């Protein structure tokens, strides 16, 4: 083993448990505070939109959850690649831990989208490309979670779900293009983009950034917590197996 | 490889169920549609391409779990994996056998079922073409799903949950191609996309399928 | 030497079951694996056959020389005996079925569907497959299950023949087949408890 410290050391379960145990409370608190601040700021200290009225304020939940729904999948993809290439157990467990959080984010995005769409478009659901893509993403999450649950051997499950995640990512992107082609929709363009012309007004923009940061921190906290729980659960299983063998 | 294909075809013909069940299912789905949406000819004609595609897709799905299940149970899959045949080739042959025994009969039956749905005369060519072009992708993607769930106890339902989202792009472009063809619209984009998906999955997905078979045999 | 195993450890379901295995297999040699049920003989054979990666150590040998026969025979019940054999012959790129048919006395059963065979006959067909592969190293997992005494004798004779032709065999079996073989008892190689996967080590 070389003396040089590297990032991969934190993939060691012992290191991971130590570090994550230290930072978890801080991330949780920071995420909670930012969420409260961002929502209060957004709900009570920004004006109503001249066209959409107060309904626009659901943006503070809708946009962050939608972003995290996609980023959670992306994180799972990266973690899956790391598992397949370097075989760090923590990586596979982090991917597993992120999936249900991603499911929750997707549901929040879909529900808030429907609630927002009702007064805007006059209907709870339209087969708009963006909405449809999220629905398809939701289905991909379900398959991924179901596969983890169905395979008994942990390493086999990690391998199979990793390959599924990679193949699924390709098909998810393909589905996005297919859906775009299939129906040009009602949904407005991206709320956030580098092009200032497309962006929402500054007054909505800053509290939105705060809630997005809050969602990121809450996501990280949940994933860390779930990964730690899974590591502990595996330790327990290993000790029980050891007792049986003696 | 050809030996394996011939063996699988022979087994499917002798067992009988291969062709029959999927076809019967396809027929029943199409027959049930007028009962659920009403008998108006114009309505049926307009939804016929979508119904035929959905029916064919579900009928394909029905037979996926048998692609590897029998070979896994009787030990052939272990023996094949240790044979000189590359596993990538084995899964490709399995997908081809599935297409020949399960999907091709559906493609052939589709025009007859289209008749019952009052499809306009211009549509038959496009229905058959889109199914002919799209169903190989369904077989190859389905083989990946079957490889993922081989050896799992409650594999059947899980297989559907895993495979159906992967079927979305193929279904969209396939049904879109049929619909546009029927309505005399421009078919170039969906035609190219459907062909692209089919050829790309045939070329690439067997590597993933072989990888998951190796993992599952471990 | 056709197969050499150095410090091999094999695992099943994420737990190492055998470790520290060292042995070689030479042309003309038979090696019999002994050990209680669940001791890891099948896992060892599957690892050597290339169906799973070793947990540690090296296997030196050409996987293209190995023919593996598992508990299950891999027979297709709707195909005839001849079709079953011919299929495996094609897969392994050989063509002559007659030595295998003669060795296991399958001549009268050739046109019968494999599904209509008795358990012992199926096993004979499964073993005949090995001969059809034309490969040098046979790996057999409990080959004599459901064989009657005369079939066992026939089987032992086939193995002797195979060894005489510079073939080798690795068998997991409990009964004495009456040919000269090196016996390897796997019990002393049972993995120690410290070999829990890295994730579970002393973190609780």
């Amino acid at each position: 083993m070389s003396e040089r410290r590297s990032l991969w050391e934190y993939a060691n379960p012992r290191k991971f448990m130590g570090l994550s145990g230290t930072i978890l409370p801080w991330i949780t608190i920071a995420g909670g505070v930012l969420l409260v601040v961002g929502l209060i700021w957004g709900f009570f200290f920004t004006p109503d939109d001249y066209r959409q009225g107060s309904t626009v304020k659901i943006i503070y939940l809708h946009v962050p959850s939608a972003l995290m729904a996609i980023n959670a999948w992306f994180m799972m993809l990266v973690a899956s690649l790391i598992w397949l290439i370097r075989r760090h157990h923590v990586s596979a467990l982090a991917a597993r831990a992120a999936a249900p959080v991603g499911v929750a984010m997707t549901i929040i995005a879909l529900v808030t989208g429907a609630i927002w769409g009702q007064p805007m478009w006059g209907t709870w659901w339209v087969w708009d490309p963006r909405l449809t893509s999220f629905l398809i993403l939701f289905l991909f999450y379900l398959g991924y979670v179901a596969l983890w649950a169905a395979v008994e051997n942990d390493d086999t499950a990690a391998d199979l779900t990793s390959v599924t995640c990679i193949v699924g990512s390709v098909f998810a992107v393909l589905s996005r293009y297919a859906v775009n082609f299939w129906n040009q929709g009602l949904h407005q363009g991206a709320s956030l983009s580098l092009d200032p012309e497309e962006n929402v007004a500054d007054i909505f923009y800053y509290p939105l950034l705060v809630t997005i940061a809050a969602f990121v921190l809450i996501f990280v906290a949940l994933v860390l917590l779930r990964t730690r729980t899974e590591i502990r659960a595996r330790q327990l299983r290993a000790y029980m197996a050891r007792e049986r063998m003696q | 490889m050809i030996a394996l294909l011939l063996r699988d075809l022979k087994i499917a013909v002798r067992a009988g169920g291969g062709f029959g069940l999927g076809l019967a299912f396809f027929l029943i789905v199409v027959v049930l549609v007028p009962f659920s949406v009403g008998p108006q000819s114009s309505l049926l004609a307009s939804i016929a391409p979508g119904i035929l595609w959905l029916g064919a897709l579900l009928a394909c799905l029905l037979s996926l779990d048998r692609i590897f299940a029998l070979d896994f149970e009787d030990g052939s899959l272990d023996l094949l994996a240790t044979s000189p045949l590359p596993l990538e080739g084995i899964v490709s042959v399995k997908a081809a056998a599935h297409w020949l025994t399960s999907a091709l009969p559906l493609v052939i039956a589709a025009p007859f079922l289209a008749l019952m749905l009052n499809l306009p005369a211009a549509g038959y060519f496009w229905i058959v073409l889109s199914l002919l072009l799209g169903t190989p992708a369904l077989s190859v993607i389905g083989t990946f799903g079957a490889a993922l769930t081989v050896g799992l106890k409650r594999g059947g339902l899980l297989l559907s949950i895993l495979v159906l989202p992967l079927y979305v792009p193929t279904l969209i472009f396939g049904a879109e191609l049929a619909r546009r063809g029927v309505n005399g619209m421009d078919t170039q984009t969906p035609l190219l996309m459907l062909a692209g998906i089919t050829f790309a999955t045939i070329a690439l997905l067997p590597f993933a399928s072989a990888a998951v078979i190796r993992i599952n045999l471990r | 030497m056709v197969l050499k195993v150095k410090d091999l450890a094999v695992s099943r379901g994420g737990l190492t079951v055998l470790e520290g295995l060292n042995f070689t297999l030479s042309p003309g040699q038979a090696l019999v694996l002994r050990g209680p049920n669940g001791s890891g003989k099948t896992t060892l054979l599957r690892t050597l056959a290339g169906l799973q990666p070793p947990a540690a150590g090296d296997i030196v040998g050409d996987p293209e020389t190995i023919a593996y026969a598992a508990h299950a025979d891999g027979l297709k019940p709707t195909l005839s005996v001849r079709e079953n054999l011919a299929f495996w012959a094609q897969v392994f790129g050989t063509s002559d079925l007659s030595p295998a048919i003669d060795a296991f006395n399958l001549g009268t059963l050739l046109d019968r569907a494999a599904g209509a065979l008795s358990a012992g006959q199926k096993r004979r067909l499964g073993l005949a497959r090995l001969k059809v592969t034309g490969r040098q190293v046979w790996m057999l997992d409990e080959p004599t299950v459901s064989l009657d005494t005369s079939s066992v004798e026939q089987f032992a004779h086939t193995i002797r023949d195979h060894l005489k032709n510079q073939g080798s065999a690795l068998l997991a079996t409990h009964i004495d087949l009456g040919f000269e073989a090196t016996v390897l008892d796997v019990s002393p190689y049972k993995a120690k408890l410290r070999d829990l996967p890295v994730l579970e080590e002393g973190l609780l």
Side-chain angles (χ1 to χ4, degrees), chain A residues 181, chain B residues 126 129-130 133 173 176-177 186-197:
Chain A
F181 171 77
Chain B
W126 292 104
L129 177 74
S130 65
L133 205 53
F173 286 118
E176 186 74 17
L177 172 61
D186 175 36
T187 52
Q188 196 190 4
T189 316
L191 184 67
L192 290 179
M193 286 304 294
L194 187 64
I197 289 173

Side-chain angles (χ1 to χ4, degrees), chain A:
Chain A
M1 281 291 142
S2 73
E3 282 294 300
R4 203 165 57 86
R5 297 180 71 83
S6 89
L7 189 62
W8 296 114
E9 281 185 27
Y10 293 101
N12 171 305
R14 195 187 301 266
K15 276 250 158 74
F16 173 80
M17 290 303 273
L19 180 75
S20 63
T22 320
I23 63 172
L24 185 56
W26 299 104
I27 295 180
T28 313
I29 292 167
V33 168
L34 282 181
L35 187 66
V36 170
V37 168
L39 287 184
I40 291 177
W41 184 359
F43 283 172
F44 301 110
F45 297 96
T46 58
D48 290 351
D49 185 79
Y50 69 97
R51 276 182 299 129
Q52 306 192 15
S54 60
T55 53
V56 74
K57 293 184 173 179
I58 205 164
I59 196 174
Y60 301 114
L61 290 172
H62 181 67
V63 171
S65 58
L67 270 178
M68 290 322 292
I70 295 171
N71 287 342
W73 183 275
F74 188 68
M75 186 225 114
M76 282 155 54
L77 175 62
V78 174
S80 298
L81 286 170
I82 293 175
W83 160 251
L84 286 181
I85 296 165
R86 301 203 47 140
R87 309 212 67 84
H88 292 304
H89 283 85
V90 173
S91 179
L93 291 184
R96 177 183 193 167
V101 186
V103 172
M105 293 294 177
T106 316
I107 292 176
I108 295 174
L110 284 171
V111 170
T112 53
I115 294 171
W116 194 1
Q118 211 285 326
M120 290 302 102
W121 304 327
T123 169
W124 294 102
W125 182 261
V126 284
W127 288 93
D128 161 271
R130 260 167 203 266
L131 272 71
T132 311
S133 301
F134 268 88
L135 199 59
I136 296 169
L137 181 65
F138 181 64
L139 299 181
F140 277 102
Y141 270 123
L142 287 188
Y144 181 88
V145 173
L147 188 59
W148 261 112
V151 183
E152 274 169 35
N153 183 282
D154 292 326
D155 281 3
T156 307
D159 283 336
L160 293 179
T161 52
S162 296
V163 177
T164 307
C165 185
I166 294 166
V167 172
S169 301
V170 176
F171 277 88
V173 172
L174 204 56
S175 303
R176 181 83 182 94
Y177 282 107
V179 165
N180 260 340
F181 171 77
W182 165 78
N183 188 3
Q184 283 80 23
L186 293 169
H187 199 288
Q188 57 189 292
S191 302
L192 293 177
S193 102
L194 293 174
D195 180 5
E197 290 285 300
E198 266 191 37
N199 242 321
V200 294
D202 278 357
I203 197 155
F204 301 118
Y205 184 62
Y206 293 115
L208 184 56
L209 283 188
V210 175
T211 54
I212 288 173
F215 266 71
V216 171
L217 290 176
I218 291 168
F219 171 76
V220 172
L222 285 172
V223 171
L224 285 181
L225 183 67
R226 292 181 54 85
T227 311
R228 289 169 61 81
T229 312
E230 181 62 25
I231 289 178
R232 289 257 158 83
R234 284 211 192 173
Q235 284 162 8
L236 274 176
R237 281 209 298 276
Y239 280 94
M240 273 148 69
R242 184 187 290 225
E243 300 234 311
R244 273 200 305 276
M245 281 167 83
Q246 269 162 355

Side-chain angles (χ1 to χ4, degrees), chain B residues 24-214:
Chain B
F25 181 81
F26 190 28
L27 173 72
I28 290 168
V29 168
V30 172
V31 167
L32 288 182
V33 168
F35 298 150
S36 64
V37 302
Q40 300 91 335
S41 307
S42 59
L43 174 66
L44 288 176
S46 70
I47 60 172
I51 298 301
L52 290 171
W53 253 91
L54 189 62
L57 185 146
L58 293 176
C60 257
L61 189 72
L62 206 61
S63 48
L64 289 181
D65 62 341
R66 297 203 314 201
I67 294 181
F68 293 115
L70 291 177
D71 279 342
F72 180 77
E73 280 160 20
D74 68 18
S76 310
L77 200 56
D78 278 345
L79 303 180
L80 281 171
T82 55
S83 80
L85 301 182
L87 208 45
E88 288 78 7
I90 292 172
V91 296
S92 301
V93 167
K94 287 281 171 190
H98 176 264
W99 185 76
L100 286 171
T101 57
S102 298
L104 191 57
L106 303 177
V107 179
I108 295 168
F112 300 99
L113 297 177
L115 214 60
M116 295 162 61
L117 296 173
N118 300 95
L119 188 78
Y124 290 89
F125 170 75
W126 292 104
I127 284 287
V128 174
L129 177 74
S130 65
L131 284 172
L132 210 52
L133 205 53
T135 45
L138 299 184
S139 288
V140 175
I141 296 168
T143 304
F144 172 69
L148 266 179
T149 52
V150 69
L152 284 183
K153 279 173 208 87
R154 293 157 292 131
L157 187 58
L158 181 66
L159 176 61
S160 312
I161 294 174
L162 287 167
V163 165
L164 284 176
L166 300 178
Y167 274 176
V168 167
T170 318
L171 175 63
I172 287 180
F173 286 118
E176 186 74 17
L177 172 61
R179 195 161 59 227
R180 288 189 175 206
V182 171
N183 298 329
M185 290 155 71
D186 175 36
T187 52
Q188 196 190 4
T189 316
L191 184 67
L192 290 179
M193 286 304 294
L194 187 64
I197 289 173
T198 296
F199 290 121
T201 50
I202 289 173
L204 299 176
L205 214 48
F207 293 98
S209 308
V212 293
I213 290 264
R214 279 194 194 95

